[in-house]
Amino acid sequence: MTEQSKSFQGKIVRGACPLDCPDTCSWEVTVENGRAVALRGTRDHPYTRGSLCVKMNNYLEHVYAPDRLLYPLRRVGRKGEGKFERITWDAALDEIADRLQSIIAQYGAQAILPFVGCGNMGFLQGEAGVGQRLWNTLGASIHSVNICSRAGSIGTTYTMGSRHGMDPEQCRHSKLILLWGTNPLTSHNHIWRFITEARKNGAHVVVIDPIRTRTAEQADEYISLIPGSDAALALGLLNVIVTLGAEDKSYIEKNTLGWDHYRERIAEYPPERVAELTGIDKEKIVALGKRLATTRPTSILTKMGVQRHAGGGMALRTIMTIPGVTGDWQHIGGGAVYSTGDYCEGNFARLSRSDLRPPNTRTLLMSQLGDNLLNVSDPLLKALIVLGANPAASNPDQNQVRRGLARDDLFTVVVDHFQTDTADYADLILPTTMQPEHADLLNAYGHLYLLWNEPAVTPPGECLASTEIHRRLAKRMGLTAPWLYESDEDLARAYLDTDHTSLKGITLEKLKEQGWVRLNYPEPTPAYPFGFATPSGKIEFYSMRAADDGFDPLPSYTPSEEVVDQELAQRYPLTLISPASHYFLNSIFANKPELAKQAGPIRVVLHPMDAARRNLSDGDQARILNERGEFRAVVAVSDAVRLGVAMSPKGYWSKLNSYPANANATVSQRKSDMGGAVFHDNRVEVERI
Ligand SMILES: Nc1nc2c(c(=O)[nH]1)N[C@H]1C(S)=C(S)[C@@H](COP(=O)(O)OP(=O)(O)OC[C@H]3O[C@@H](n4cnc5c(=O)[nH]c(N)nc54)[C@H](O)[C@@H]3O)O[C@H]1N2
Ligand SMILES: Nc1nc2c(c(=O)[nH]1)N[C@H]1C(S)=C(S)[C@@H](COP(=O)(O)OP(=O)(O)OC[C@H]3O[C@@H](n4cnc5c(=O)[nH]c(N)nc54)[C@H](O)[C@@H]3O)O[C@H]1N2
Ligand code: SF4
Ligand SMILES: [Mo]
């Protein structure tokens, strides 16, 4: 073979998908002549099994897209206008270092907010760790990523002590699978193979969702309910189980706390009452309750969509009690899972150096950026470093966010791949690497594997890895602490440096060799392999910890705030749900021509009766509005949404819409019960234009 043909043959480099998706796929990049020419799912990865998804199949087009940012840019127009000029890295870093230093001198480091979003989930380049050492060293405000999963995580933890849950792969052994407020055929498709396997062995699959999603269409049974009423449904199902005497008494006795109290609570939710609260026929509730009572093992697969309501935390806390009552936790293929993130117990403190944070450093919630920029003082935010986030598109209360970003006295840096809605408000835009161009270490929230992403190609233009940008910035700022200059591989080693069983024997070398490793759990692994990390060491139906935090000590039903507000319903009769788009990942890909075309223009789906009442039909233009703002969309009429519910997918960039807004113009910044965002607890009216 000649040298030339060898180089054309292509080298294969293993990596992993960085996106905020439970599947964290393992992949292989084929490199020819220094260019990534093919990308495919790793065949030997037990969860990826050789496939990616509609969003990532042609990801390399996005990597080599003509609108990719390749050079640092400085704003020349007004904030939001989107006019920039090219500058050098030296000029950009000097300006950032100068501005940050003078802000620190005048207002203190807490006037800086590093706003790291969910664009990249890696420990090195993304949400889990990037830049933390620098910001902790300086003492910047702490950015709390509550926007996505916080409420459900806390709710789950009150009941179970941690989020672990069951290994999702084990649902292949289930006989009944409840997909509770999750739409995996869109949001994490790789679980579907395991569900299919279970179905071949006779499993019955139920989807519980106010929208008859793509997944619901494929299920054996679909249950539509009033948004935010899930905890009531959970209690109603438990009521049926207890009425049948089907609770697992010996499991409850040995493994749970507070059953006597909880049983009384459950008794308050007979099917008739639950039918009223949830809008589900009583017969359907009873039938599902009976099925749950008599089918072992049952798995409940849930994710984040269900908890984007005022009572979202309580909903997850309550749903999580079901396998404790049925005893499903003790069976392989039984239990429930929300996020598997807790299975991987690396040394996050060493990676992020959270120990460096000055005491009493304030924490600001990601979901309240608008408010944080406009109304928080002592000190007022003076610098915003946005990385892996597009709050102008993805955050609640878009108009407030934009008002905040437009502040002339705010110094904003955006580190991204594309000139997003948010980047238009930046003073400086910094171009950063994409996944085939940098190293990263990733865990998953939908499976039990850890992955290494080996750089496959050199970055285009002047793109720099986000880790490297922070190292260079630290240098410009004259900082000398050695931990600010550790290499990417050293950072990965810092995370892996732990005695915890989950990572025992897992080294960077081993990860590099195969691209992925299973965390140290046997296959099949029982749920909660280390027991329940609650104060009592048991599943807590009765939680003093919850009571101390100001919640009902027992799981209960906390209704959505706007959904049940009858006075508000007079003005805004429809509840708007803005779930995952099939073709975007949050706001990523809204600018990718192929996927934008498949997604089509922003649309609002209305029930036929709701549409008729407003004299709207397919293809009409409508405004969707409330007191917070409005966006415009093309109407689609379908009984896939409940009467009284409207649906418009998340992720559209305002500047690419004919009217510059998306669903988030109508969403409130309110916190849910346990501190998450309330994207679907949102009343609107829809009007013909
Ligand atoms: N294609 C694609 N995949 C994605 C994403 C994406 O944007 N696009 N986003 C990723 C991210 S960031 C996340 S967090 C995960 C989320 O993963 P999922 O939670 O599976 O996805 P969502 O679409 O947010 O919500 C799922 C479902 O919750 C329903 N829902 C809303 N309110 C309620 C309720 O009160 N009760 C019940 N039972 N259901 C309700 C919605 O109608 C929706 O169908 O998906 C990830 N995967
Ligand atoms: N209406 C509505 N809004 C929602 C939701 C909803 O259900 N409904 N869901 C919410 C959820 S679950 C989430 S998680 C949030 C997400 O909100 P964000 O975290 O703001 O996520 P994105 O909007 O996808 O923006 C991510 C940005 O990161 C960039 N990026 C990708 N990879 C990298 C990288 O390696 N380095 C850097 N520097 N940048 C990178 C992308 O180009 C993109 O511009 O959105 C929330 N918004
Ligand atoms: S977005 Fe999810 S399903 Fe698609 S490649 Fe990435 S991890 Fe896999
Ligand atoms: Mo998310």
Side-chain angles (χ1 to χ4, degrees):
M1 204 186 289
T2 64
E3 269 309 305
Q4 202 184 2
S5 68
K6 239 195 267 171
S7 69
F8 271 99
Q9 227 193 0
K11 158 177 89 149
I12 292 190
V13 183
R14 283 220 169 160
C17 177
L19 299 189
D20 186 352
C21 165
D23 292 2
T24 311
C25 289
S26 170
W27 71 31
E28 293 176 341
V29 186
T30 307
V31 181
E32 282 178 11
N33 298 316
R35 196 177 161 93
V37 296
L39 178 72
R40 62 153 192 260
T42 302
R43 292 209 178 90
D44 66 13
H45 188 284
Y47 202 81
T48 303
R49 301 211 224 166
S51 75
L52 299 175
C53 67
V54 65
K55 305 175 293 298
M56 291 307 265
N57 284 334
N58 294 322
Y59 180 60
L60 295 177
E61 278 176 20
H62 207 46
V63 171
Y64 294 114
D67 53 338
R68 171 109 187 248
L69 294 167
L70 299 176
Y71 309 99
L73 300 173
R74 180 191 283 130
R75 182 168 54 80
V76 292
R78 276 180 297 106
K79 287 197 174 191
E81 196 180 347
K83 290 202 184 126
F84 290 84
E85 65 179 11
R86 182 175 165 182
I87 56 169
T88 63
W89 270 107
D90 278 338
L93 290 169
D94 281 340
E95 186 168 335
I96 299 169
D98 282 354
R99 290 294 295 265
L100 294 188
Q101 270 156 341
S102 68
I103 286 168
I104 293 169
Q106 212 179 334
Y107 306 95
Q110 294 195 81
I112 303 170
L113 178 66
F115 191 91
V116 181
C118 310
N120 177 320
M121 297 298 282
F123 286 111
L124 308 186
Q125 311 297 344
E127 192 240 322
V130 75
Q132 294 246 7
R133 287 184 174 194
L134 175 61
W135 307 118
N136 288 336
T137 303
L138 293 173
S141 286
I142 298 167
H143 166 70
S144 171
V145 185
N146 71 320
I147 202 165
C148 172
S149 59
R150 172 71 47 83
S153 293
I154 293 182
T156 299
T157 303
Y158 284 137
T159 303
M160 304 303 299
S162 69
R163 290 175 306 173
H164 290 77
M166 63 181 281
D167 177 352
E169 284 181 53
Q170 301 311 329
C171 77
R172 56 151 72 103
H173 301 295
S174 307
K175 292 295 179 208
L176 172 61
I177 298 175
L178 306 189
L179 293 168
W180 201 317
T182 180
N183 180 16
L185 282 178
T186 284
S187 63
H188 56 295
N189 75 83
H190 291 77
I191 191 70
W192 197 252
R193 303 230 188 122
F194 299 94
I195 294 173
T196 304
E197 215 180 305
R199 282 176 116 177
K200 281 194 187 130
N201 295 317
H204 182 85
V205 177
V206 184
V207 167
I208 302 167
D209 197 307
I211 296 165
R212 198 172 68 239
T213 58
R214 190 181 280 265
T215 309
E217 296 283 1
Q218 299 295 317
D220 299 301
E221 187 178 343
Y222 166 57
I223 293 197
S224 167
L225 79 177
I226 295 169
S229 67
D230 301 85
L233 175 61
L235 289 162
L237 295 172
L238 288 169
N239 186 290
V240 178
I241 291 169
V242 172
T243 304
L244 291 169
E247 71 272 23
D248 186 331
K249 296 182 184 70
S250 73
Y251 185 82
I252 291 172
E253 170 90 18
K254 275 195 219 104
N255 299 289
T256 72
L257 183 77
W259 174 241
D260 287 344
H261 293 295
Y262 193 31
R263 201 173 29 197
E264 283 168 28
R265 172 58 49 84
I266 290 169
E268 293 165 21
Y269 287 84
E272 307 71 48
R273 179 173 178 219
V274 172
E276 235 165 74
L277 295 173
T278 61
I280 307 169
D281 290 343
K282 182 187 148 195
E283 293 67 37
K284 273 198 163 186
I285 297 167
V286 172
L288 184 59
K290 280 187 181 158
R291 203 185 270 281
L292 246 175
T294 53
T295 318
R296 306 276 77 74
T298 288
S299 58
I300 301 176
L301 308 179
T302 178
K303 280 273 159 298
M304 289 77 209
V306 57
Q307 48 96 63
R308 307 200 203 289
H309 290 273
M314 200 55 107
L316 260 294
R317 178 179 171 202
T318 309
I319 291 168
M320 283 290 159
T321 64
I322 295 175
V325 177
T326 58
D328 267 306
W329 290 117
Q330 66 202 311
H331 308 297
I332 294 294
V337 63
Y338 173 64
S339 159
T340 59
D342 288 348
Y343 274 97
C344 182
E345 297 201 43
N347 197 340
F348 187 66
R350 250 207 86 185
L351 171 69
S352 64
R353 294 301 308 272
S354 43
D355 58 300
L356 299 168
R357 284 177 185 162
N360 306 322
T361 306
R362 72 176 172 191
T363 296
L364 299 175
L365 295 180
M366 179 168 177
S367 66
Q368 297 185 328
L369 179 67
D371 198 39
N372 292 336
L373 288 174
L374 293 172
N375 302 321
V376 167
S377 49
D378 282 337
L380 181 69
L381 284 174
K382 285 288 187 177
L384 179 71
I385 316 297
V386 179
L387 193 148
N390 186 5
S394 288
N395 262 60
D397 211 345
Q398 197 156 69
N399 293 322
Q400 291 293 84
V401 171
R402 287 199 284 221
R403 241 168 260 144
L405 290 172
R407 263 179 47 201
D408 271 328
D409 62 333
L410 177 73
F411 176 63
T412 301
V413 179
V414 171
V415 186
D416 208 307
H417 305 140
F418 294 95
Q419 194 179 321
T420 60
D421 284 347
T422 305
D424 282 350
Y425 288 87
D427 293 282
L428 295 169
I429 303 177
L430 306 180
T432 193
T433 44
M434 288 174 85
Q435 198 74 344
E437 302 147 8
H438 57 221
D440 215 334
L441 177 68
L442 301 101
N443 78 332
Y445 60 102
H447 61 63
L448 273 55
Y449 303 85
L450 185 66
L451 301 96
W452 175 252
N453 181 75
E454 179 71 15
V457 294
T458 47
E462 295 181 1
C463 291
L464 291 178
S466 297
T467 41
E468 179 61 17
I469 293 173
H470 286 91
R471 287 188 283 260
R472 292 193 189 190
L473 180 58
K475 187 140 185 256
R476 290 292 155 141
M477 295 183 79
L479 301 169
T480 54
W483 57 80
L484 296 172
Y485 299 98
E486 283 182 20
S487 69
D488 291 354
E489 295 198 358
D490 285 342
L491 291 170
R493 286 197 178 90
Y495 179 78
L496 295 172
D497 180 19
T498 168
D499 290 333
H500 194 272
T501 325
S502 61
L503 288 168
K504 196 159 249 160
I506 298 178
T507 58
L508 186 57
E509 287 60 40
K510 200 167 159 188
L511 276 160
K512 284 184 146 205
E513 214 171 277
Q514 200 179 338
W516 57 271
V517 289
R518 185 173 166 91
L519 296 167
N520 260 318
Y521 298 95
E523 236 266 79
T525 207
Y528 291 92
F530 305 113
F532 309 114
T534 50
S536 64
K538 295 185 168 189
I539 295 173
E540 295 199 342
F541 297 141
Y542 189 96
S543 168
M544 271 317 291
R545 188 143 70 176
D548 290 344
D549 292 345
F551 299 105
D552 193 328
L554 289 169
S556 60
Y557 160 52
T558 308
S560 287
E561 189 167 318
E562 295 196 5
V563 179
V564 300
D565 183 336
Q566 291 314 313
E567 194 265 319
L568 191 65
Q570 304 287 313
R571 276 170 293 148
Y572 302 114
L574 300 170
T575 296
L576 179 70
I577 290 180
S578 46
S581 154
H582 194 68
Y583 302 99
F584 308 153
L585 197 302
N586 291 319
S587 76
I588 299 173
F589 304 129
N591 65 326
K592 185 171 188 289
E594 172 216 12
L595 289 169
K597 193 169 161 211
Q598 281 177 275
I602 187 166
R603 67 185 196 286
V604 62
V605 184
L606 297 176
H607 186 276
M609 280 161 66
D610 285 324
R613 246 174 242 163
R614 291 163 180 80
N615 194 21
L616 285 164
S617 38
D618 274 330
D620 285 348
Q621 292 285 334
R623 25 197 313 248
I624 301 92
L625 69 150
N626 60 23
E627 270 142 25
R628 291 175 286 266
E630 85 172 70
F631 69 104
R632 296 185 184 178
V634 179
V635 172
V637 181
S638 164
D639 66 1
V641 295
R642 281 181 77 84
L643 188 66
V645 170
M647 191 278 276
S648 185
K650 66 175 168 175
Y652 284 85
W653 288 14
S654 294
K655 66 175 167 186
L656 301 178
N657 293 335
S658 57
Y659 179 85
N662 68 20
N664 281 326
T666 60
V667 175
S668 163
Q669 291 181 73
R670 262 183 3 252
K671 276 191 294 185
S672 72
D673 54 350
M674 297 180 195
V678 291
F679 291 106
H680 311 319
D681 189 353
N682 179 28
R683 279 201 168 273
V684 298
E685 178 53 301
V686 178
E687 292 173 0
R688 204 193 166 80
I689 296 179

